[in-house]
Amino acid sequence: QEGLYTIPAFSLEDLKEAAFIPTVQEVMIFDPPELLDTIVGDVMQAPGAIPLMSYILDELYLAYNASGRQDRALNQKDYEKLGGLAGLLRRKADALFLSLDPNHQAMMKKVFLRMVSVLGELERRRVKIEDLNYSPAENLLVEEVIKKLIESRLIVKDTDYIEPAHP
């Protein structure tokens, strides 16, 4: 407990700086400059804002490298081709799902269904980990699936809860 330090939530300006500084170091620009505002706006309300922003920037950089362009620009067109944050997360979730065996796929569905609520509109919700208690064999699957979802930055976990990383 003595070594525990809680990092306060990043402000809008902190998030912009966290995205901008690495691009300066790599001599990259945002094209248009408002793309940075779009990215920060997409992740601002997410519980895993920093990892999500890192993921977006990684994917934009990979898209830039794959394009063969020499303009050193992370651009809006690439972000739109990637589908924005929602498209990136959807592709990542699909890839993870397809990489699992049928038992893990079924458990991934169960876990995600517990994290959504349909009351008029689809809404994400926090789920107590203790509420994901099934048979001993299924509990092992739950642990493995949650670990993979966290590693993939699709969900975030605190001591007692899990929740989707983004609405």
Side-chain angles (χ1 to χ4, degrees), residues 89-147:
L89 290 176
R90 186 173 29 259
R91 273 203 308 280
K92 188 175 239 191
D94 289 346
L96 174 60
F97 183 81
L98 293 173
S99 75
L100 300 175
D101 63 65
N103 291 333
H104 285 86
Q105 286 178 346
M107 187 53 69
M108 184 173 162
K109 286 180 187 179
K110 270 187 179 181
V111 168
F112 266 108
L113 286 174
R114 295 296 300 272
M115 290 188 292
V116 295
S117 173
V118 183
L119 300 173
E121 286 187 33
L122 190 64
E123 294 181 15
R124 68 185 182 99
R125 65 182 192 161
R126 298 177 78 201
V127 175
K128 276 189 165 186
I129 294 171
E130 68 185 36
D131 291 344
L132 297 170
N133 192 11
Y134 304 105
S135 71
E138 286 179 309
N139 288 341
L140 182 59
L141 288 174
V142 168
E143 287 178 31
E144 291 169 355
V145 166
I146 287 174
K147 182 179 177 195

Side-chain angles (χ1 to χ4, degrees), residues 24-166:
V24 170
Q25 292 170 341
E26 293 297 319
V27 194
M28 300 291 293
I29 61 168
F30 289 95
D31 180 32
E34 296 79 22
L35 176 59
L36 178 57
D37 294 326
T38 300
I39 293 168
V40 170
D42 285 351
V43 302
M44 186 67 187
Q45 300 304 316
I50 295 295
L52 286 173
M53 189 170 64
S54 173
Y55 175 58
I56 291 170
L57 295 173
D58 286 347
E59 292 297 315
L60 271 176
Y61 187 74
L62 292 173
Y64 164 76
N65 278 338
S67 74
R69 295 189 327 265
Q70 300 296 315
D71 59 6
R72 307 296 293 168
L74 303 176
N75 71 37
Q76 185 77 36
K77 288 180 185 175
D78 286 340
Y79 191 58
E80 290 169 3
K81 279 184 202 173
L82 294 170
L85 179 57
L88 285 166
L89 290 176
R90 186 173 29 259
R91 273 203 308 280
K92 188 175 239 191
D94 289 346
L96 174 60
F97 183 81
L98 293 173
S99 75
L100 300 175
D101 63 65
N103 291 333
H104 285 86
Q105 286 178 346
M107 187 53 69
M108 184 173 162
K109 286 180 187 179
K110 270 187 179 181
V111 168
F112 266 108
L113 286 174
R114 295 296 300 272
M115 290 188 292
V116 295
S117 173
V118 183
L119 300 173
E121 286 187 33
L122 190 64
E123 294 181 15
R124 68 185 182 99
R125 65 182 192 161
R126 298 177 78 201
V127 175
K128 276 189 165 186
I129 294 171
E130 68 185 36
D131 291 344
L132 297 170
N133 192 11
Y134 304 105
S135 71
E138 286 179 309
N139 288 341
L140 182 59
L141 288 174
V142 168
E143 287 178 31
E144 291 169 355
V145 166
I146 287 174
K147 182 179 177 195
K148 288 182 182 295
L149 290 169
I150 291 168
E151 288 170 355
S152 297
R153 300 180 184 164
L154 294 169
I155 67 171
V156 292
K157 178 182 180 251
D158 65 20
T159 307
D160 300 320
Y161 291 89
I162 59 169
E163 65 183 307
H166 196 269

